[in-house]
Amino acid sequence: MQNYFRLLRNLKDELLNSEPVAKMCPTIRLSYSLRVIFGIIFLSRFVFASIRIPGNLTLGGLFPVHLKGAENCGVFDANGFQRMEAMIYALREINNDNSILPGVTLGASLLDSCKHDTHALEQAMTFVTSNMIDGDISCSGYGQQQPTIGVVGAASSPVSAMVANILRLFKIPQVSYASTSSELSDKSRYGYFLRVVPPDTYQAQAMMAVVKAFDWSYVATVASEGNYGEKGIEAFKNLTRDTDICIATSEVIDRDAKDSDVEQVVQYLNETKARGVLVFASERDTKRLLSAVQRLNLVGRFHWIGSDDWGNKYTAVENHPEAAEGAITLSHSAEQDKGFKDYFLSLNPYEQITETSWLLEYWETTHNCRFIDHPHRVRRDTNASEIRTPTVSLATTEARVCEGTERLTAETFQHEGKVPFVIDAVYAFAHALDSLHTDLCNGTKGLCPEMQDIDGAVLLEYVNKTTFDGKSGRVRFNQFGDRPGSYQLYQYRRTNDGSFAYVPVGTWTDELVLNGSLLHWGQFGEHIPESVCADPCEPGLMTQKVTGDKCCWVCVRCEQNQILEDEFTCTNCSEYTKPSTDKSACVKIEGEYLRWNEAFAIVPAVLSFFGICSTLFTILVFLKYQDTPVIRASGRELCYVLLAGILLTFVSPVIILAPPSEIVCGIRRVLLGVPLVVSYSALFTKTNRVYRIFNSGKRSVKRPQYTSPTSQIVICSLLVSVQIIGTAVWLILKPPGVNRNQPEWNRVILDCTVSDLAEVTSLVYAMFLVLLCTIYAFKTRKMPENFNEAKFIAFTMYTTCIVWTAFIPIVVGTSSTDFKIQQCLLSLSVVVSASVTLCCIFVPKLYIVLLAPHKNRKKPGVTLNSRIQRSVGDSMDSRVNNGDAKPSRPMPSIGPMSYTASSEVDLKEEDSCDSDDDFIRRPTHDILQALNSMDSTRV
């Protein structure tokens, strides 16, 4: 534009002071401003080639007949030329249809935009200036200058946006057939712009639907610089905000990008993990992108989703089909017009004289030939408007000469995708003008005076209200001048014969309809390739997002005691629960306890069973032989109490090893201490009685108090009651219960609600009795051989002390390691204590009763062994010297006496004892009589 007006400034003086304009238009006097306007018209017609079709009403048309070049226009574009011919075809159809605009013909002024926004703006000045002069003005060589009432075009969004700015100022409605930028929906800036194609917001929605259908969560985007590409990607990004779809990178291909710049874009794409790439780019940039992919040997690395400017155009993938294989492309839904095909195939450069040099360029490009002598070439030399030299892209200096006999055939014809939309854009104006004609001309055929000067704002209103069935479907406009979206989806893939083609695979109109059976992805076959930043985490693994990128993550294992509450959150399980195998829920932990089938329970249980059997056997033997001397002399009453305690002690491991419950825990408290107290109370009473009898026998012949069996049972009961009362108070103050202890996240140990310290404390009284028994056993260690049961009691107490001394640190030490070991050791300690007592106290008696019955009988005569004799002698000496005793009669001879395995029982029938008390008391009396006899003899 700057170049254009710089040229105007250079020519302004010449235009205003010279005669060219006056010679061309001799019927008017030109003011200063009008001379400038005519200078613009004259200059634009001088510089730019165009096609002018006469008519009562004139529509403008902008088409990319040439591509963008280094400065303005570049190589010839066959697709743009086909679109331009589509408008000419539509005008002919309308003018030949008496049902639309009867008596009124539509003309056209068709210009080349060259896909360049500034160049198109320069071209649009022709439409503007035509509205600034009277339609009756006629200039030599140009005929009557008609105002342009509306413009069809342009193709690309940047060109349409540039042109729309200037057309809005002069209230010229504009209907585009291919511009899809969402920016053009802004009516505050583009109030006179409409389009028969949906905006990119719909296209972005269709692309989003495809991405979701493929389950892609991580994609990249490539856009052409400008409104079309960048605004389209922006619309897609807006749609991803409330989804789990992320953009790995967004690259833009600059307008003037070099091949190295495009390769850099591809390298940026390759650095991401995204395989899916959205391409919102022009056909030219798409082709360059695919070329760069092939040069960098990255074929198959990307899976494309192309916008409508890629569509189903073979020129976009020309020479690079492998790089584009599998691409999903969008094209506006439209049907091919057979009438246009017939029309286009009938074109001939020697018959159509209105198309200037553009048809020659198309002919030379298509047939690879060159015209040498053609009427249009002559006219270019003589007509100022035809000075443009055609640019032949395929023909070379060595190309053959075009003879005019060449023909366009159906085999070589490819229907350009935007042709139906060009036709519908022209028909949108035709239907609007027809409605306006009906309202203003009251059914009069031809152009009535009321339509001589059409107000652009009024025409815009009529176009907005237009609704008709066009070549691309139902045409209507919303409040933004946009057409609702409808797209055809294609996949560029290999066909059965090995060639590449665009295969229709679905449609999108508000929602996606995709035929998955038609999809094929090259090396991936029918399997849809993935495009994710990271693979889904395995069950039980938490998805931890990477900072700044919601679609990238690392898979992290939850802690051992955590479950996967959702994909991104690990939650601790509550107490006494643990995660399920798949980490989906917390499940109750089954409580652990020492089961009967475990080795730690089997060993003490077996020993306990044998102990119970042995104790019961001992009880039965005592009951059967209770009247024999050995049983009678052992103190039957206390023996039965002792055996009861031992039996309960053997039973207690069964309770200790039983599954915990309130009842079991209560019984465990009782059986842990009471049986031991019963046993050691009986032993203490027995040792204390023996000690008191022999100790008092040295000082006096008077029988000690509380030595009778009844007294012994009462004493033993009182001792046991202390433990029973303490246990009862303990049960009341701290009722028994089951404690669920969780030492580890996946383990719950069922145990009674009692601490190790409390258990040890409950045994303190039993230990105290053990200590007393040990003391008295030590004091009675020198008893006569006839009473050497004290030795076995002493040995029992020593062993028990050793066992319980080792038990306390073992139980306390294993409490923090394994409860099974602790319970096993506790049970074994109890069993060992009971076994020691049973073996040391009762096995010697069982031996005599069962295996040595000859020792379990009475014999006449009683003698004292040497130890008693020494004891008695010492006592007598003491008595004589102190004068406390005087012998009255001689000492009879006393034979040996024994009731244990180490001595024999030699008692006369008349000396038999009814009880162990009599058994002990009688020898003592005989000893005193012997002492008296010895005293009398000495005297």
Side-chain angles (χ1 to χ4, degrees):
M1 190 64 181
Q2 294 176 352
N3 295 334
Y4 177 66
F5 283 106
R6 187 181 300 112
L7 183 59
L8 283 182
R9 286 194 297 270
N10 295 336
L11 298 177
K12 182 176 75 171
D13 294 337
E14 182 178 353
L15 287 172
L16 296 177
N17 299 321
S18 61
E19 298 301 324
V21 175
K23 290 181 179 179
M24 293 170 57
C25 305
T27 58
I28 60 172
R29 291 182 57 189
L30 297 177
S31 65
Y32 178 86
S33 60
L34 199 57
R35 287 187 181 186
V36 174
I37 292 173
F38 272 97
I40 295 174
I41 297 173
F42 173 77
L43 183 60
S44 61
R45 291 179 60 85
F46 182 83
V47 175
F48 306 119
S50 63
I51 293 178
R52 299 188 62 82
I53 300 175
N56 301 120
L57 300 173
T58 300
L59 295 175
L62 280 173
F63 300 95
V65 181
H66 294 84
L67 297 178
K68 179 182 177 182
E71 295 183 359
N72 283 317
C73 297
V75 298
F76 183 80
D77 184 7
N79 291 330
F81 175 76
Q82 193 175 149
R83 296 174 186 176
M84 183 200 67
E85 289 293 341
M87 181 170 180
I88 297 175
Y89 164 77
L91 291 175
R92 290 182 181 182
E93 291 293 309
I94 294 170
N95 291 335
N96 293 331
D97 188 352
N98 293 326
S99 63
I100 302 177
L101 292 174
V104 179
T105 59
L106 293 179
S109 176
L110 308 179
L111 301 176
D112 184 5
S113 67
C114 295
K115 273 196 173 180
H116 198 291
D117 49 3
T118 56
H119 177 80
L121 181 60
E122 297 169 2
Q123 293 279 44
M125 294 301 298
T126 301
F127 305 140
V128 172
T129 55
S130 66
N131 286 15
M132 298 175 63
I133 60 175
D134 191 342
D136 293 333
I137 297 178
S138 176
C139 298
S140 175
Y142 294 93
Q144 185 175 355
Q145 179 70 21
Q146 290 288 345
T148 302
I149 61 173
V151 175
V152 175
S156 65
S157 296
V159 172
S160 291
M162 186 71 77
V163 172
N165 284 319
I166 191 66
L167 295 181
R168 180 178 65 89
L169 297 177
F170 294 93
K171 298 183 179 181
I172 302 176
Q174 174 188 1
V175 179
S176 174
Y177 51 84
S179 299
T180 59
S181 172
S182 58
E183 183 183 24
L184 295 170
S185 298
D186 185 1
K187 295 296 102 177
S188 63
R189 298 173 58 191
Y190 309 103
Y192 280 76
F193 177 84
L194 301 94
R195 47 189 164 190
V196 292
V197 290
D200 291 336
T201 52
Y202 291 105
Q203 189 168 190
Q205 294 176 28
M207 286 184 165
M208 174 62 73
V210 174
V211 171
K212 288 183 176 180
F214 292 162
D215 200 22
W216 290 353
S217 61
Y218 202 59
V219 296
T221 63
V222 178
S224 292
E225 183 183 7
N227 290 337
Y228 171 72
E230 294 180 281
K231 294 297 181 180
I233 293 300
E234 182 179 351
F236 179 82
K237 288 182 178 179
N238 292 335
L239 294 175
T240 63
R241 290 178 179 173
D242 298 327
T243 68
D244 293 330
I245 299 173
C246 300
I247 308 298
T249 183
S250 293
E251 302 299 330
V252 177
I253 300 177
D254 297 335
R255 288 189 177 93
D256 302 323
K258 301 177 182 178
D259 289 344
S260 59
D261 298 329
V262 180
E263 289 179 359
Q264 187 64 49
V265 169
V266 175
Q267 289 176 350
Y268 288 148
L269 296 177
N270 189 46
E271 291 174 359
T272 70
K273 295 182 179 180
R275 299 182 67 91
V277 181
L278 275 70
V279 180
F280 237 115
S282 64
E283 176 188 346
R284 171 176 174 267
D285 288 341
T286 300
K287 187 173 183 178
R288 298 180 67 191
L289 181 68
L290 296 176
S291 177
V293 169
Q294 192 149 353
R295 288 196 304 272
L296 295 174
N297 196 26
L298 293 175
V299 173
R301 166 66 174 80
F302 306 107
H303 307 290
W304 314 99
I305 297 180
S307 62
D308 62 321
D309 210 39
W310 182 343
N312 55 352
K313 300 174 185 176
Y314 285 92
T315 53
V317 296
E318 187 178 10
N319 300 326
H320 313 292
E322 291 82 6
E325 183 176 7
I328 302 295
T329 60
L330 279 68
S331 181
H332 301 289
S333 299
E335 296 181 358
Q336 296 184 359
D337 191 308
K338 186 176 182 304
F340 171 73
K341 180 179 179 181
D342 295 338
Y343 160 78
F344 194 82
L345 294 178
S346 66
L347 292 178
N348 189 286
Y350 287 96
E351 297 175 4
Q352 279 75 22
I353 61 173
T354 59
E355 281 81 353
T356 67
S357 63
W358 293 339
L359 180 56
L360 295 183
E361 291 187 68
Y362 178 79
W363 204 265
E364 291 176 337
T365 302
T366 303
H367 297 289
N368 196 20
C369 63
R370 181 176 179 83
F371 286 101
I372 300 300
D373 187 11
H374 190 275
H376 284 194
R377 286 188 178 274
V378 175
R379 289 183 63 201
R380 284 198 299 274
D381 297 333
T382 59
N383 191 336
S385 67
E386 305 297 342
I387 64 171
R388 183 176 181 81
T389 302
T391 303
V392 182
S393 59
L394 297 180
T396 62
T397 55
E398 293 81 11
R400 65 182 180 84
V401 177
C402 297
E403 299 176 355
T405 58
E406 300 85 4
R407 290 290 181 268
L408 300 176
T409 62
E411 289 74 14
T412 58
F413 173 77
Q414 291 182 351
H415 199 287
E416 207 280 326
K418 293 298 187 293
V419 165
F421 298 95
V422 174
I423 297 174
D424 286 344
V426 178
Y427 268 88
F429 277 115
H431 285 289
L433 290 171
D434 183 64
S435 298
L436 183 63
H437 181 269
T438 300
D439 293 342
L440 296 181
C441 298
N442 297 321
T444 303
K445 291 186 177 182
L447 195 65
C448 61
E450 289 79 3
M451 289 190 66
Q452 291 294 336
D453 187 12
I454 298 177
D455 186 352
V458 175
L459 179 59
L460 175 66
E461 183 179 354
Y462 274 85
V463 175
N464 261 319
K465 295 179 180 179
T466 298
T467 301
F468 63 96
D469 293 324
K471 302 299 180 179
S472 59
R474 188 70 175 172
V475 178
R476 60 185 178 88
F477 303 98
N478 59 20
Q479 68 271 25
F480 303 108
D482 300 328
R483 181 179 179 179
S486 180
Y487 297 94
Q488 178 74 45
L489 272 67
Y490 296 90
Q491 185 181 44
Y492 187 72
R493 48 164 291 189
R494 289 184 186 271
T495 58
N496 294 331
D497 60 1
S499 62
F500 287 92
Y502 288 99
V503 179
V505 294
T507 59
W508 186 91
T509 304
D510 295 332
E511 63 179 11
L512 179 66
V513 179
L514 192 64
N515 189 348
S517 61
L518 298 177
L519 296 175
H520 193 274
W521 303 89
Q523 60 180 339
F524 292 93
E526 296 180 356
H527 177 70
I528 298 176
E530 295 182 347
S531 183
V532 296
C533 183
D535 294 328
C537 293
E538 297 178 359
L541 297 184
M542 179 185 68
T543 301
Q544 183 174 340
K545 296 289 187 180
V546 176
T547 305
D549 197 337
K550 66 179 182 179
C551 290
C552 293
W553 60 82
V554 292
C555 296
V556 179
R557 290 191 179 277
C558 294
E559 296 294 333
Q560 291 179 329
N561 63 329
Q562 293 181 330
I563 62 169
L564 198 62
E565 182 177 355
D566 55 46
E567 187 180 358
F568 310 101
T569 307
C570 287
T571 304
N572 291 331
C573 282
S574 61
E575 194 175 16
Y576 310 131
T577 61
K578 66 178 181 179
S580 58
T581 304
D582 58 357
K583 295 280 189 176
S584 61
C586 291
V587 296
K588 184 178 180 180
I589 302 176
E590 184 178 356
E592 294 184 28
Y593 54 89
L594 192 56
R595 302 180 185 274
W596 295 112
N597 58 350
E598 298 182 32
F600 289 113
I602 294 175
V603 173
V606 170
L607 295 177
S608 178
F609 173 76
F610 282 111
I612 293 172
C613 293
S614 301
T615 305
L616 292 175
F617 175 76
T618 303
I619 293 174
L620 292 176
V621 171
F622 265 63
L623 290 174
K624 184 177 180 180
Y625 298 96
Q626 64 178 344
D627 293 329
T628 61
V630 170
I631 302 300
R632 293 179 64 187
S634 64
R636 289 171 297 181
E637 294 78 8
L638 287 179
C639 284
Y640 286 131
V641 172
L642 180 58
L643 286 172
I646 293 173
L647 180 62
L648 290 176
T649 304
F650 279 124
V651 172
S652 61
V654 178
I655 303 301
I656 294 174
L657 301 174
S661 66
E662 291 185 4
I663 296 176
V664 170
C665 290
I667 298 175
R668 181 184 295 182
R669 290 191 189 180
V670 176
L671 291 185
L672 183 61
V674 172
L676 295 174
V677 170
V678 171
S679 300
Y680 299 132
S681 294
L683 287 175
F684 170 70
T685 304
K686 181 184 286 288
T687 55
N688 176 264
R689 175 172 172 263
V690 172
Y691 174 77
R692 287 190 295 114
I693 289 174
F694 278 93
N695 192 49
S696 65
K698 296 179 181 182
R699 299 189 302 267
S700 171
V701 295
K702 184 179 180 181
R703 177 180 178 178
Q705 295 181 345
Y706 310 117
T707 59
S708 65
T710 303
S711 300
Q712 299 300 302
I713 295 299
V714 171
I715 294 173
C716 185
S717 299
L718 291 176
L719 294 174
V720 173
S721 64
V722 174
Q723 179 70 21
I724 294 175
I725 294 172
T727 303
V729 172
W730 186 19
L731 291 173
I732 293 172
L733 296 179
K734 190 174 182 61
V738 178
N739 181 38
R740 298 175 65 87
N741 183 27
Q742 191 170 7
E744 300 177 13
W745 65 272
N746 60 343
R747 295 182 64 198
V748 169
I749 297 174
L750 299 182
D751 200 2
C752 295
T753 54
V754 58
S755 64
D756 295 336
L757 180 61
E759 283 188 342
V760 173
T761 304
S762 68
L763 297 175
V764 168
Y765 182 60
M767 296 176 186
F768 174 71
L769 292 177
V770 170
L771 181 62
L772 291 179
C773 290
T774 305
I775 293 173
Y776 276 101
F778 178 78
K779 288 183 177 182
T780 59
R781 70 188 185 283
K782 296 182 179 180
M783 286 292 102
E785 293 180 0
N786 305 71
F787 308 99
N788 62 2
E789 183 182 28
K791 297 179 180 180
F792 297 105
I793 295 176
F795 180 76
T796 301
M797 292 301 101
Y798 300 154
T799 306
T800 302
C801 288
I802 294 173
V803 170
W804 285 102
T805 302
F807 160 74
I808 294 176
I810 290 176
V811 171
V812 174
T814 56
S815 61
S816 60
T817 56
D818 193 337
F819 75 101
K820 296 180 181 181
I821 298 177
Q822 184 186 36
Q823 292 184 3
C824 178
L825 291 176
L826 177 60
S827 301
L828 290 176
S829 298
V830 171
V831 170
V832 169
S833 298
S835 299
V836 167
T837 304
L838 181 65
C839 292
C840 293
I841 303 299
F842 293 98
V843 167
K845 297 177 176 61
L846 293 178
Y847 173 78
I848 293 175
V849 171
L850 298 177
L851 301 179
H854 62 282
K855 296 182 179 182
N856 189 17
R857 65 177 182 270
K858 301 176 183 178
K859 292 184 179 181
V862 178
T863 60
L864 295 177
N865 58 17
S866 59
R867 183 183 303 173
I868 294 179
Q869 290 178 357
R870 287 193 301 269
S871 176
V872 171
D874 293 340
S875 177
M876 284 298 299
D877 293 341
S878 175
R879 289 170 179 263
V880 172
N881 294 332
N882 294 329
D884 293 333
K886 295 181 179 180
S888 60
R889 60 185 177 91
M891 181 81 174
S893 63
I894 301 176
M897 179 182 63
S898 175
Y899 64 95
T900 65
S902 62
S903 61
E904 296 181 354
V905 179
D906 294 324
L907 297 176
K908 298 180 180 179
E909 286 293 333
E910 61 273 15
D911 293 334
S912 63
C913 302
D914 294 333
S915 68
D916 58 331
D917 183 57
D918 294 337
F919 182 81
I920 296 175
R921 187 174 64 253
R922 285 288 300 274
T924 305
H925 177 69
D926 292 340
I927 293 172
L928 295 177
Q929 289 180 349
L931 291 174
N932 291 333
S933 300
M934 292 174 62
D935 291 340
S936 60
T937 302
R938 289 177 181 178
V939 173

